[in-house]
Structure formats: C-alpha cells, structure tokens
Amino acid sequence: MATARGSYHHGDLGAALVDAGVALAREAGASAVVLREVTRRVGVTPRAAYRHVADRDALLRAVARVALAAMARTVEETLAGAADGAGAASDGAVAATDGATALRAVGEGYVRFALDEPGLFEVALFAMDDMAEVDDPAAAGAGGRSPYHQLQDALARLVGEGRLAADAVEGAALTCWSGVHGYATLAALGPLRSLPRAERDAGASAVVAALVGAVTGVRDAVGPA
Amino acid sequence: MATARGSYHHGDLGAALVDAGVALAREAGASAVVLREVTRRVGVTPRAAYRHVADRDALLRAVARVALAAMARTVEETLAGAADGAGAASDGAVAATDGATALRAVGEGYVRFALDEPGLFEVALFAMDDMAEVDDPAAAGAGGRSPYHQLQDALARLVGEGRLAADAVEGAALTCWSGVHGYATLAALGPLRSLPRAERDAGASAVVAALVGAVTGVRDAVGPA
DNA sequence: TGTACATCAGTGAACGCGCGTTCACTGATGTAC
DNA sequence: TGTACATCAGTGAACGCGCGTTCACTGATGTAC
C-alpha cells in the first residue's frame, strides 16, 4: 500500500523496513524481527522507522501479512502443479482438478511452506490476533485469496461435485485446517522438527491424505481392520 | 529428581526455581520464563540459580517437562471422567471405556489443557527439541505416561477391539496428534484465540469427533453429501 | 563433648549487551509567487 | 527563471530498562579426630 515515491530521501523506507523484517523472520523467526536491526539493515537511524511504523508490534504485524501472502503463493503453485499433473495424466475427459485433488494440494502447499520457511510460518500464524487478518488483501496471494480462503474454495468444489454436504463445510474446514496446521507446527517448529526432511514430507502426505479421505468419505491411509 | 534436603540454606532451591518458572510460564508463556525473575520470586540472588541449573535454557527445558506432565494429568482426569460416564450409562454389559471413547477423551483432554493453560501448553510443546523428551519420566503423569503415550494406548485399545489395523496405528497416531495439536494451537495461541470459550470448546468436540470417526471408520461429524 | 576444618550454597556487586523509544535538530525536497 | 518558504524524512545522541552471566567473597552446615 505504501506508494513508491522514488526520489525523496530514501524512496520508500516503509516498504524497505517491512522487507528487512521479512528477511529477519525468514532467518530466525518472530523474535528476530527487531526494530533496531531492521533499521540497521536498511542503513538508517532507528528513529527513522517511527516515521513509517507506529511501533515494533505494528512492524511485526505488517511482516506477518507479507508472510501469509507468501504462503498463499506457495499454495497457488501447488494447486497449479496439481492441475498440470491431472491434465497430463487424464486423456482429456477430466480437464481441471477435482475438489479432492485441490484439497490435497492446499494441504500439501500449506505444509510445504511451513517446512521450507519455518520462520515465516511462525510469524504468519502466531502474530495473527484473530480471523479478521485473514481477510486483509495484503495477506493474500496473486489470486487475491489467503490460505484459509483457498481451503474454503477447495471444499466448495467438493460441495459442487456432491461429495460434501453444504452444511458440513464449516466442520470440514476446521478439521482440515487443524490437521494440516498441527502437522506443520509439529514438523516445522515442534518436536518433529529434527527429523530428516524426507521423513517429514512423507508424514505430510500421509496426514493430508487421511484428512482428504475423512472429508470425502474415502479412507485409504488410515482405516479400521 | 532433586532431593529435598530440607535444612540447608534454602531446602531445595533447584525445585523452587523450577516451580517459579512454571508459575511464570502459566502466567505469560515461554518468553516470561526469565532467569532473573525466577530468582527474584524465590527470594534469592540471580547468581544462586547457577548452582542448580546450567543456564536459562536448561531451566526452560525443566519447566517444559513439568508442563508436559501437567498435561498428562489433565488427560488422565478426562479419561477417568469418560470411564465413569460410560460405567454409569451402560447397564453393566460394557464396564470399562472402549477404544473410541478413550481416544476421544485423550483428544478432549489435550485441547482442554491447551485452552485452560495456554502458557504451559506453549512451553510444553515448543521447548521440546525432539521426541526423546516425550519419553522422559519427568514429562509423564501419575500413570507414568506422557500425552503421546496416552494417545498410543487408546489406539492400541482400538486394535485390540479389531477396529483398527495394527499397521495403521502409526498413521492414525500422526493424524490424530496433528489434528488435536493443530486445533489446540489455533484456539489457544493462534487466530482463534479471541473466540468465546464456549465456541472454542464446541470446535474442539467437533474436531475430536471427526478425528475419531476418521480413525475408526465411523464418520458422523464430517461426511459426504 | 569439643574443637578445627572442609564443603559448598548463597551473597552483593558488577560486566557488557541490545532493546524500544524519545529528544531537539538538520538538511533535502517540492511549491508559491 | 529565480528566490523565499514550508514541509517533512531522516540524523545523532541519549534515556532507562532488564537481561544472562561472572567476579571474588562469606558464612552456615556437616564431619573428622
């Protein structure tokens, strides 16, 4: 939202500060987003930041929005990849992704982002006070949707296909989000973080498959005897 | 593990420091577990702590073990409550809890602890480096089991009842833990934290029911059209 | 039972650090006439 | 086109704070003879 003036003293210090904050978050998580270090990286006096940002907390929230948008972009990429795969594999009858494929892609993208960028993931989801921030356009990807909306879109597709009752969407959204977010948290920041990446990727696929199965009624990964 | 000598200068400073650390974690989470404040609360010089604890990080890890044990105790209580309820409701044929009831109780207890004690929850699960800490006896409840073991126990019961394949236990454990942990994280520390408690409790029941359904093959909360 | 001694838990003061934030200011930019 | 002026982005130095950690020490406890 900050306009790039291009010729004042700095050009667009506000945006530069947020960029530096994002870089710090990427390197070492939320606690590394330190106002003084941000100004140091931009090459400016600490005092200068206060012309563009109310305080350290406002800076962190701005960084969180950028991080959430980055996550949305990763999910978009995963969705695009799934659509390509489906188009190439099918002989033409089914062109676009179906709901289950989309749901799986959203889940895989969510976890992949967390594992690739644990620092940004931490900032994106723990600096969020409430769900209102999810609706901020600054927190969306190129398609204008935040990760939570991308999940809703996939579930809506399942409803359109008659594979999910409309009144079950809310519960399914909560269950899927919880499952995917929990795995991402455990594997990116929690007690599973020291496992080899390949093992964590395999776990992600298993959890996502189980969640998709639970929502659509097809259970292949987890089931009774 | 620290022996209570009872008559030296303090008695058992090591345990007192950990207790104070737990109190701080309960009040304001992991970042509040500050070595100087801990010594201040116990009424001792900062320097004295170093006789009992290697550094601030070791103190935090000790607090994390106590927090995890507290969580295990909450799960034990929830399990006991579920057994009472099942006993009272049945006319005698089914005395103890079945696997599905136990699994639901473990999930409900896990989330309940997170919502009741978000600070301890944060310390318990983010100060854990790897799964080895789960096996530390100091991190277990009265029954000697940590929350992760309690989940495994419930799944083992389902296997015994023939409702879950033995080779599906690992996947089911990961899915259940992820789902429950994710919901707990979102509702205790994340963007759902500002919702009214009643709403968060309802969400917990819905998520746990969906997970139990996914594992046992009975799906009532979330399903296809 | 009494004295000398070793142990070691806790003291009191200080170290260097980096933080967020505020002070009165300077000097480059754009604008009005 | 040139000068006077208002704006406001950024300066440089300092504030008070609380942190983790280390210094050489003191003084209470338990033990050996």
Side-chain angles (χ1 to χ4, degrees):
Chain A
M1 290 305 128
T3 53
R5 309 242 211 124
S7 61
Y8 243 117
H9 286 113
H10 178 92
D12 193 354
L13 223 205
L17 293 171
V18 174
D19 285 351
V22 169
L24 285 166
R26 173 174 284 130
E27 291 161 25
S31 69
V33 181
V34 155
L35 196 141
R36 291 185 79 109
E37 175 62 20
V38 158
T39 59
R40 230 174 273 132
R41 293 210 171 185
V42 174
V44 114
T45 274
R47 183 71 182 85
Y50 289 90
R51 192 84 53 183
H52 300 268
V53 123
D55 54 20
R56 191 250 171 190
D57 203 60
L59 174 68
L60 185 61
R61 279 198 306 269
V63 170
R65 283 190 291 272
V66 174
L68 203 59
M71 185 186 221
R73 260 177 276 116
T74 296
V75 171
E76 280 170 354
E77 284 165 23
T78 314
L79 276 167
D84 288 356
S90 80
D91 36 66
V94 180
T97 31
D98 59 320
T101 305
L103 184 58
R104 182 172 294 110
V106 171
E108 302 262 13
Y110 194 105
V111 177
R112 183 155 70 87
F113 180 79
L115 299 186
D116 285 346
E117 300 287 359
L120 294 183
F121 175 69
E122 184 196 345
V123 171
L125 278 126
F126 291 91
M128 237 202 296
D129 289 331
D130 52 53
M131 288 300 289
E133 314 227 16
V134 166
D135 295 319
D136 191 315
R145 308 290 277 165
S146 75
Y148 187 71
H149 294 130
Q150 292 166 321
L151 167 62
Q152 298 278 6
D153 294 345
L155 293 173
R157 210 175 296 195
L158 280 173
V159 172
E161 293 165 4
R163 297 191 67 186
L164 182 68
D167 65 358
V169 166
E170 202 184 337
L174 194 60
T175 299
C176 288
W177 191 18
S178 295
V180 154
H181 181 72
Y183 184 77
T185 303
L186 292 171
L189 309 169
L192 303 184
R193 84 179 91 117
S194 43
L195 258 43
R197 177 62 191 258
E199 224 169 297
R200 290 184 289 153
D201 284 338
S205 297
V207 169
V208 170
L211 291 168
V212 174
V215 164
T216 59
V218 181
R219 295 168 310 93
D220 32 6
V222 171
Chain B
M1 289 305 127
T3 52
R5 309 242 210 127
S7 60
Y8 243 117
H9 286 111
H10 178 92
D12 192 355
L13 223 206
L17 293 171
V18 174
D19 285 351
V22 169
L24 286 166
R26 173 174 283 130
E27 289 162 25
S31 68
V33 181
V34 156
L35 196 141
R36 292 184 79 108
E37 175 62 20
V38 158
T39 58
R40 230 173 273 132
R41 292 211 172 184
V42 174
V44 113
T45 273
R47 184 69 182 83
Y50 289 88
R51 192 81 56 180
H52 299 268
V53 123
D55 53 21
R56 192 251 172 190
D57 203 63
L59 175 68
L60 185 61
R61 278 199 306 270
V63 170
R65 283 190 291 272
V66 173
L68 203 60
M71 185 185 221
R73 259 178 276 114
T74 297
V75 171
E76 280 171 352
E77 283 165 22
T78 315
L79 275 166
D84 287 357
S90 80
D91 34 68
V94 181
T97 31
D98 59 320
T101 305
L103 185 57
R104 181 173 294 111
V106 171
E108 301 262 12
Y110 194 105
V111 177
R112 183 156 69 86
F113 180 79
L115 299 185
D116 286 346
E117 300 286 1
L120 294 184
F121 175 69
E122 184 196 345
V123 172
L125 277 127
F126 291 91
M128 238 202 295
D129 290 330
D130 53 51
M131 289 300 290
E133 314 227 16
V134 165
D135 294 320
D136 191 315
R145 308 291 277 165
S146 76
Y148 187 71
H149 295 129
Q150 292 166 321
L151 166 61
Q152 299 279 8
D153 293 346
L155 292 174
R157 210 175 296 194
L158 280 173
V159 172
E161 293 165 4
R163 299 191 66 186
L164 183 68
D167 65 0
V169 166
E170 202 184 338
L174 193 60
T175 300
C176 288
W177 190 18
S178 294
V180 153
H181 182 71
Y183 184 77
T185 303
L186 292 171
L189 309 169
L192 302 183
R193 84 179 92 117
S194 43
L195 259 42
R197 176 63 191 257
E199 226 171 295
R200 290 185 287 154
D201 284 338
S205 296
V207 169
V208 169
L211 292 169
V212 173
V215 165
T216 59
V218 181
R219 297 170 309 94
D220 33 6
V222 171

